[in-house]
Amino acid sequence: MAQGVASSSAAPVLLWQERWGRAAAVFLRDPTLGLGLLGSLLFVVLFVVTPLVQVIAQAFFDPRSGDPSLEYFRRYFDPVYRGYQWQVVGNTLVMGTCTAAAGTALGLVFALTLSRCRVPGQRLLHYLCLLPTISPPFAVAIAAILLFGRSGLVTHQWLGIQFGPGVNDIYGLDGIIFVQTITFFPVAYLILRAMLERMDPAMEEAALNMGASRWQVLRTVTLPLLIPGIAGSVLLLFVESLADLGNPLLLGGNAVVLSSEIFLAVNGQYDQQRGAAFSLVLLLPSLVVFLLQRYWVSQRSYISVTGKPSAGQMTIAEPWIRWPLLLVTGLGSLLILALYGSILVGSITRLWGIDYTLDWQHYRVALSRGLNPILATTFLAAVATPLAVLMGLLTAYLVVRKAFWGKQALDFASNLGAAVPGTILGIGYILAFIQPPLPVVIGATAILAGYAAWSAAPRWGWQLLVLGSLLGGFLRWVGPSLSYELYVGGSGAILIAMGGLVGWQSRAWPGWTLAAVGIYLELGVIEPYLTGPIGVWGRALGGEPAKLLTSLQVMIGVIFQLPLTLVGFGLLGVLALALRPLPGSRLAGRLHLGLVAVALGLAFGLIFAGDPLALVGTPYIVIAAYAVRSLPTSVRAGMAALQQIDPSIEEASINLGADTQTTFRRVTLPLILPALLAGSIFAFARHMTSLSAIIFLTTPRWPILTAWILSEVEQGGMSTAAAYSVILIAIVFGAILLLMAGARRQVRQMGGALDLMIGGG
Amino acid sequence: MSYLVLEGIEKRFAARDGSSEVVAVQNVNLQIEQGELITLLGPSGCGKTTTLRIVAGFEFPTSGDVILAGRRINEQPPNQREMAMVFQSYALFPHLSVFENVAYGLRLRALPEIQVRKRVLAALELVGLEGLEQRSPQQLSGGQQQRVALARALVLEPKVLLMDEPLSNLDAKLREQMRTEIRRIQQTLGITTLYVTHDQAEAMTLADRIVIMNQGRIEQVDRPIQIYQRPASAFVADFIGRSNLLPARILGREGDRWQVQVLDQSLCLPTSALAKPFQPGETAQLLIRPEAVRLHPQGSLRGRVQRAVYLGPVVEYELALGPQSLTVVDTDPLRPQIYRPDAEVCFDFLPNCLYLLPT
């Protein structure tokens, strides 16, 4: 009888350790999973946590002297400053509360009308509601100025109001609240509509059966069941309102709120400590609300919003309920139509307020002067989309399907990227990446390299790390005296050779993956020589084509000139996968170890080449900012999709002999493809309409369209701004049509959960 | 040397709030011979599915060992154990055809296409689904889906077949059909099988031996006839079939004969009718199956009919004996009469149908 060694006892302390050790064993044994976890952790730590930490730290230090300073917090108590300071905070809270209340109320009315009443043109109204989500966040502000401003169509031309002192105009807190309500109510609408559609109709039917009138059912059954959704919407809208930058900048007038204050501190006064200090004040309510919403409200929902809509919902037929709902919905829709209509009309008329003849000049200006921002933004938004979707999917998979220490932290941190007001993140990026963030880079390298070394050669981990560090150090020392081409090209060539060797002696695919990294490096070296002629040709042609071709050249460069540090991280990941001991490998022991050491050395050489991750001014930081902002949406899309797949399907695949990677590739992925596509659409829309996070990151070489529009408005070019806005909306809309046309069947399959992803931030 | 051995298996889960612990499986020891079909039977929450998943490798035991063919397999991941599982929900891949579903595991082993085709078609024929290879799972009925899941597991010729309540989603008639099918196939192939169910009839039909589980512990492991006739505890007696448990007291013993007091009567029982050696004066429970009670117009034991239900093949009575009640099932088609409620009847127990359990 086989008598094994007695297993650990069941005392609770050992239980925890054993569980953790067990989880660690799972990740070491399955490198795809381990790398996936490390990758998403790295992304989140690098691009969410580090910037936030920097902002928080900066608030307490004077950047000029480096001393700790509580100056800007002191001002809340200083008699000279505090009046103003508290007024700003007060304005912000009032704005947030009012927008949250009004937006949720409007969203509730729309949700009730469109899901419970028979209304003609339901689909149209639904899409009308979604218009604010695919337009720049300050589009409504522009429209409001066009219609209700000092020379507005409604206020000046029709009503003939003279704006002098004492006359209330669209500017100010009330104006901000008005446009924010219109801009953000779709979020509440989507959440509440989704809940209404997933409510079990039997509950309302039971109430009716017991004699309740329709109004009583609404009051005592439907609305109470919606309370978690209402509470959630209020909280969400509050955060969105606080984070909003564009509308307060355009319509604030004399009323200053925290987000505009932060912007002015950084861009106007060049005082980063001031900006950081205000960011902290803004961060507090946002975080509190975010936590409330996540951990308190969403736990109390009676309706599962990830399920499929239930059939047979009761419609409201009673006229005294129906008509008020229809009235408000109708008025709201007309308002939205009028606002967006004014943007459209404003872009195609010669001079708003004076001359309404049809004129395309604004588009001509937009497409010539503004071609660069249009192309640059679309390109960066598009490049960031697969990154965001993949990261989101990875995080969703880890959170939904796996159990490991730190899972909650990962889930929380990935949501933080969008919960935090964008201006804070923007400042954080500048603070974190203007100089190489060495501690983070070193830490990340150590962890990745450790994982790679132990995966590849479990018994020689330490020795390999030391060897690799020596080699990397040597490369780094020798590096500056070599030309870029030699350094990078040489590394690439060695990798290709290694790949060939591994492919020959071991299995094909590890060889290919190693060689692929090498090939990428070589392409990066060659690329400028290949695309150079494009630029030359463009300049020869002159005019419009020149710009297009130059942009093309630059874009290709972005793809192939990834910062070497990131390539180095990638190499470490590939190392863990490709140089793992594989069955059927004929690689001799020493040779294998040598290859690992060389690969480690090359990776270190790449990671620390130049200024590791000094990303400010590069397009990569914009891409990262985009991805971080849309990450929660992608994660939610991934989670919704994964939760609808019975986990036993994946277990069946494992039971039949597949590992995690094969199961994911052959079973999970085909089933969640619709959600990925939907997620891509929303990620792209979010990228294109981002403002607050990237406003500090825009540069003359990489101008961002939303910032461009803002400055256009500030210079008084309302019509041109309108033209830009229409172009932006058209691009997003076009992308949506493209993706939906290309994957119609799968999108329809997704059905209900689609809308949810856009809701909730 | 048993083929599949579970030694001291224990599984604890932390409760949701992290404060307390749930013990799902405790001290499970099992020795399964090659070719046996063992059912894990018990009420919901008794730990049978957890035990199955531990064997499959989807859960790690908190302590204890799983030993297959003499080798301890605790550390083996679930995709390397050479065991195939049939899930309660079938878990067929909706985006693959029936053929591809069954071929999935074979393809992972990189077998040549001709072999794959041959084995898949053979498996489908074994379960009676020839001709349906190109359909997608959504186009099949529940019973057909069930059989595809079975074929997918069997085609790999696993060392152990694991089945997690595979028939619970089918209607009654289909269930009966399928369980005979499953038993037939299992015996033809001689595959060691671990089968989880909460349906007694299924367990009795299928199993070589039944494992009764309750609250994470094994109550009894035995052949069906032993489980029914000689249950180890009141729980088992009550779980399988129906039972009457009457309070009894041991009066004395004479060699092989035991005097037991039940219902103010003194009965004489052989040692074989006792679950364990009792002491004189000890209290016990007497197990009488409803079908082992015979009703007479006259006799020493009396009771009053509270309820009589004519079911067709049998008549069921509920007798009141003072505070006690007795369920009686009359299986005799030549019964002299059907008693009505409130009638006074006499009854006695059929010989050799009594069993004495500890309290």
Side-chain angles (χ1 to χ4, degrees):
Chain A
M1 175 67 85
Q3 292 292 336
V5 174
S7 310
S8 46
S9 81
V13 172
L14 277 174
L15 175 72
W16 180 85
Q17 280 178 349
E18 189 184 75
R19 228 189 299 149
W20 188 54
R22 188 76 70 185
V26 168
F27 281 109
L28 272 179
R29 219 184 310 143
D30 196 341
T32 325
L33 206 57
L35 278 177
L37 180 59
L38 282 176
S40 46
L41 276 176
L42 186 66
F43 181 79
V44 161
V45 165
L46 206 54
F47 294 115
V48 178
V49 177
T50 310
L52 281 179
V53 166
Q54 286 280 8
V55 173
I56 295 174
Q58 184 68 56
F60 297 102
F61 286 91
D62 185 338
R64 282 176 291 267
S65 62
D67 296 328
S69 144
L70 288 174
E71 172 63 24
Y72 292 102
F73 300 107
R74 189 185 64 76
R75 292 192 182 182
Y76 282 98
F77 304 101
D78 183 305
V80 173
Y81 291 106
R82 69 175 173 211
Y84 175 74
Q85 303 270 50
W86 285 109
Q87 192 185 37
V88 171
V89 173
N91 285 345
T92 312
L93 291 176
V94 167
M95 172 187 75
T97 326
C98 291
T99 303
T104 305
L106 191 60
L108 182 60
V109 168
F110 268 81
L112 279 173
T113 313
L114 291 179
S115 74
R116 288 280 203 266
C117 299
R118 258 187 293 271
V119 194
Q122 240 195 29
R123 282 192 84 82
L124 231 64
L125 285 174
H126 176 73
Y127 289 125
L128 192 62
C129 278
L130 297 185
L131 206 49
T133 57
I134 62 167
S135 54
F138 42 79
V140 182
I142 296 177
I145 295 177
L146 287 176
L147 286 178
F148 304 113
R150 302 247 167 123
S151 318
L153 183 64
V154 173
T155 44
H156 184 70
Q157 303 220 286
W158 289 354
L159 298 178
I161 301 177
Q162 298 293 347
F163 285 103
V167 182
N168 192 15
D169 57 14
I170 189 74
Y171 298 96
L173 218 51
D174 45 5
I176 301 179
I177 294 172
F178 170 68
V179 300
Q180 279 189 342
T181 306
I182 303 282
T183 310
F184 296 123
F185 92 91
V187 175
Y189 161 70
L190 286 170
I191 293 178
L192 292 170
R193 180 164 182 183
M195 289 187 83
L196 279 168
E197 286 177 347
R198 280 160 184 76
M199 208 180 280
D200 186 354
M203 291 190 278
E204 292 171 324
E205 287 170 357
L208 284 172
N209 178 253
M210 286 189 272
S213 74
R214 203 66 187 75
W215 169 242
Q216 279 171 322
V217 173
L218 203 66
R219 196 168 48 87
T220 58
V221 176
T222 320
L223 287 178
L225 284 174
L226 281 181
I227 284 180
I230 294 175
S233 299
V234 166
L235 295 174
L236 220 45
L237 257 61
F238 182 81
V239 174
E240 295 269 6
S241 163
L242 251 58
D244 186 19
L245 179 62
N247 292 319
L249 275 182
L250 291 180
L251 286 179
N254 289 327
V256 182
V257 293
L258 277 170
S259 53
S260 39
E261 184 80 7
I262 296 172
F263 176 73
L264 291 170
V266 176
N267 265 19
Q269 296 158 351
Y270 301 107
D271 189 340
Q272 283 175 349
Q273 187 194 5
R274 187 186 163 101
F278 285 130
S279 299
L280 213 55
V281 176
L282 187 59
L283 188 61
L284 279 171
S286 307
L287 263 184
V288 166
V289 163
F290 168 67
L291 288 171
L292 264 178
Q293 204 270 331
R294 226 173 106 82
Y295 291 108
W296 189 69
V297 170
S298 56
Q299 308 285 13
R300 279 161 171 67
S301 178
Y302 306 107
I303 305 168
S304 157
V305 286
T306 51
K308 298 225 180 318
S310 23
Q313 298 288 355
M314 305 236 73
T315 51
I316 300 175
E318 288 76 359
W320 55 86
I321 306 177
R322 191 160 170 261
W323 281 110
L325 285 177
L326 284 179
L327 193 65
V328 176
T329 309
L331 285 176
S333 311
L334 278 175
L335 188 58
I336 298 176
L337 267 175
L339 288 166
Y340 281 91
S342 71
I343 298 180
L344 190 60
V345 170
S347 67
I348 56 178
T349 55
R350 189 164 298 163
L351 194 56
W352 183 271
I354 296 170
D355 187 349
Y356 286 103
T357 47
L358 197 64
D359 192 338
W360 296 100
Q361 66 166 338
H362 304 295
Y363 282 101
R364 275 199 293 276
V365 170
L367 287 170
S368 63
R369 227 175 353 123
L371 189 61
N372 205 10
I374 292 174
L375 289 175
T377 312
T378 311
F379 173 71
L380 290 177
V383 168
T385 302
L387 176 64
V389 170
L390 275 167
M391 270 297 145
L393 181 61
L394 191 56
T395 311
Y397 187 78
L398 288 168
V399 168
V400 172
R401 289 279 192 256
K402 300 292 170 186
F404 53 90
W405 185 77
K407 172 164 119 159
Q408 293 286 18
L410 178 65
D411 190 14
F412 180 77
S414 71
N415 272 298
L416 212 50
V420 163
T423 37
I424 301 180
L425 214 56
I427 298 180
Y429 278 132
I430 296 179
L431 292 172
F433 295 111
I434 196 144
Q435 299 276 10
L438 280 176
V440 182
V441 174
I442 293 176
T445 310
I447 296 176
L448 270 178
Y451 182 79
W454 262 279
S455 289
R459 283 171 48 227
W460 298 91
W462 283 115
Q463 293 89 326
L464 287 173
L465 278 181
V466 169
L467 263 177
S469 307
L470 287 175
L471 182 58
F474 171 73
L475 284 172
R476 184 76 180 82
W477 175 61
V478 146
S481 53
L482 297 172
S483 72
Y484 177 83
E485 282 86 359
L486 198 54
Y487 191 79
V488 175
S491 307
I494 297 177
L495 281 172
I496 295 178
M498 282 174 63
L501 187 59
V502 170
W504 176 44
Q505 287 284 15
S506 176
R507 304 255 285 273
W509 66 264
W512 276 113
T513 33
L514 269 178
V517 181
I519 294 174
Y520 179 80
L521 287 172
E522 300 295 348
L523 283 175
V525 171
I526 302 174
E527 180 264 332
Y529 298 106
L530 290 178
T531 56
I534 300 180
V536 171
W537 178 36
R539 277 189 287 278
L541 288 176
E544 292 311 307
K547 287 201 193 146
L548 281 170
L549 288 169
T550 324
S551 296
L552 184 63
Q553 179 191 18
V554 170
M555 288 179 204
I556 298 179
V558 170
I559 308 273
F560 287 101
Q561 302 284 349
L562 205 61
L564 290 175
T565 314
L566 295 174
V567 180
F569 285 145
L571 179 57
L572 285 175
V574 167
L575 219 175
L577 277 177
L579 288 180
R580 227 177 353 132
L582 290 168
S585 162
R586 296 192 309 277
L587 220 48
R590 294 259 169 94
L591 184 58
H592 179 234
L593 291 177
L595 286 175
V596 174
V598 169
L600 278 174
L602 286 176
F604 292 147
L606 287 172
I607 291 174
F608 293 101
D611 293 318
L613 290 188
L615 293 175
V616 172
T618 67
Y620 300 103
I621 201 171
V622 177
I623 295 175
Y626 277 159
V628 163
R629 293 297 278 173
S630 67
L631 188 61
T633 310
S634 310
V635 173
R636 250 194 294 280
M639 285 175 74
L642 283 170
Q643 278 161 351
Q644 291 188 15
I645 302 178
D646 184 358
S648 56
I649 290 188
E650 289 171 351
E651 282 180 350
S653 171
I654 293 178
N655 174 256
L656 292 169
D659 58 18
T660 316
Q661 189 200 37
T662 315
T663 302
F664 186 78
R665 207 168 24 96
R666 298 181 59 177
V667 176
T668 318
L669 199 57
L671 293 173
I672 57 173
L673 214 50
L676 288 189
L677 292 170
S680 307
I681 296 176
F682 294 121
F684 183 72
R686 249 197 112 77
H687 297 161
M688 288 294 293
T689 57
S690 250
L691 173 69
S692 49
I694 46 89
I695 196 159
F696 299 125
L697 304 174
T698 173
T699 59
R701 279 208 75 192
W702 290 98
I704 303 297
L705 188 56
T706 39
W708 195 266
I709 303 177
L710 202 62
S711 60
E712 191 72 35
V713 172
E714 284 173 346
Q715 293 164 31
M718 296 302 296
S719 300
T720 328
Y724 281 125
S725 301
V726 171
I727 293 175
L728 196 154
I729 296 176
I731 293 176
V732 179
F733 197 62
I736 294 177
L737 285 179
L738 208 70
L739 272 160
M740 289 189 75
R744 174 164 310 156
R745 182 175 53 96
Q746 281 132 329
V747 170
R748 192 158 301 151
Q749 235 178 12
M750 260 321 283
L754 254 187
D755 297 335
L756 251 90
M757 296 165 220
I758 207 177
Chain B
M1 177 68 182
S2 303
Y3 192 59
L4 175 63
V5 179
L6 302 180
E7 227 173 64
I9 298 284
E10 185 174 288
K11 178 69 182 173
R12 293 166 182 261
F13 291 104
R16 280 217 173 262
D17 53 12
S19 58
S20 53
E21 261 188 350
V22 174
V23 183
V25 176
Q26 232 181 66
N27 196 29
V28 165
N29 291 287
L30 216 50
Q31 280 148 344
I32 304 170
E33 306 301 326
Q34 192 159 24
E36 259 196 302
L37 194 159
I38 302 283
T39 51
L40 300 178
L41 177 65
S44 308
C46 70
K48 50 193 196 295
T49 301
T50 310
T51 309
L52 191 77
R53 288 172 65 86
I54 289 176
V55 175
F58 291 120
E59 305 279 356
F60 295 116
T62 315
S63 62
D65 294 323
V66 180
I67 299 163
L68 181 65
R71 261 184 60 229
R72 181 173 176 271
I73 59 169
N74 288 36
E75 305 304 322
Q76 260 190 341
N79 54 350
Q80 289 172 19
R81 291 197 182 195
E82 294 183 86
M83 301 182 187
M85 187 148 157
V86 179
F87 293 81
Q88 188 174 359
S89 64
Y90 320 138
L92 298 180
F93 306 129
H95 60 296
L96 300 176
S97 68
V98 166
F99 185 92
E100 286 302 324
N101 261 284
V102 180
Y104 188 84
L106 296 175
R107 291 208 195 285
L108 288 171
R109 287 150 178 75
L111 291 178
E113 187 62 24
I114 310 176
Q115 270 234 5
V116 170
R117 203 172 163 72
K118 198 165 75 118
R119 282 170 70 163
V120 168
L121 292 177
L124 287 175
E125 202 185 306
L126 184 64
V127 299
L129 285 179
E130 35 315 78
L132 295 177
E133 302 89 50
Q134 293 313 316
R135 299 256 187 104
S136 80
Q138 295 88 295
Q139 295 171 315
L140 300 178
S141 71
Q144 289 170 323
Q145 289 182 9
Q146 169 54 268
R147 282 186 268 171
V148 174
L150 190 57
R152 185 175 69 178
L154 292 174
V155 81
L156 297 174
E157 290 166 11
K159 293 202 171 117
V160 178
L161 183 63
L162 304 169
M163 307 188 83
D164 186 3
E165 303 198 47
L167 303 181
S168 54
N169 291 344
L170 302 175
D171 61 69
K173 204 95 189 121
L174 202 49
R175 239 182 290 168
E176 272 182 44
Q177 243 181 309
M178 284 301 299
R179 65 185 186 222
T180 349
E181 274 287 297
I182 290 176
R183 181 58 163 160
R184 180 185 64 81
I185 295 173
Q186 187 263 339
Q187 285 190 311
T188 312
L189 297 175
I191 288 190
T192 314
T193 305
L194 201 55
Y195 189 109
V196 165
T197 180
H198 61 266
D199 184 323
Q200 314 169 28
E202 226 167 84
M204 300 291 264
T205 319
L206 291 171
D208 289 313
R209 281 188 295 155
I210 302 180
V211 177
I212 306 266
M213 290 184 73
N214 182 29
Q215 296 187 333
R217 301 192 131 90
I218 293 184
E219 294 267 343
Q220 189 173 1
V221 183
D222 235 329
R223 290 181 296 125
I225 189 170
Q226 301 286 55
I227 299 262
Y228 189 75
Q229 292 188 342
R230 310 175 74 75
S233 66
F235 175 82
V236 178
D238 221 15
F239 192 79
I240 296 272
R242 294 153 72 189
S243 60
N244 293 301
L245 290 166
L246 300 176
R249 219 154 65 86
I250 315 294
L251 294 175
R253 173 193 181 170
E254 279 161 33
D256 192 36
R257 317 296 296 170
W258 295 71
Q259 293 293 333
V260 178
Q261 183 185 40
V262 175
L263 296 174
D264 303 321
Q265 298 256 327
S266 178
L267 297 175
C268 192
L269 298 174
T271 316
S272 56
L274 271 65
K276 68 165 197 152
F278 289 95
Q279 298 297 332
E282 230 182 305
T283 50
Q285 297 182 83
L286 186 69
L287 169 67
I288 312 140
R289 297 289 185 188
E291 64 272 13
V293 180
R294 216 172 25 190
L295 299 176
H296 304 284
Q298 286 107 301
S300 52
L301 298 163
R302 318 178 92 85
R304 196 228 303 265
V305 176
Q306 282 198 309
R307 219 187 49 184
V309 182
Y310 179 77
L311 287 174
V314 301
V315 181
E316 248 180 54
Y317 297 101
E318 185 105 359
L319 298 186
L321 318 147
Q324 199 74 37
S325 77
L326 199 68
T327 308
V328 180
V329 169
D330 181 0
T331 55
D332 183 3
L334 301 173
R335 61 183 71 88
Q337 62 170 221
I338 298 174
Y339 298 96
R340 292 177 163 283
D342 277 340
E344 291 277 334
V345 292
C346 303
F347 60 91
D348 67 9
F349 305 129
L350 290 175
N352 300 327
C353 288
L354 301 171
Y355 195 66
L356 207 59
L357 291 169
T359 42

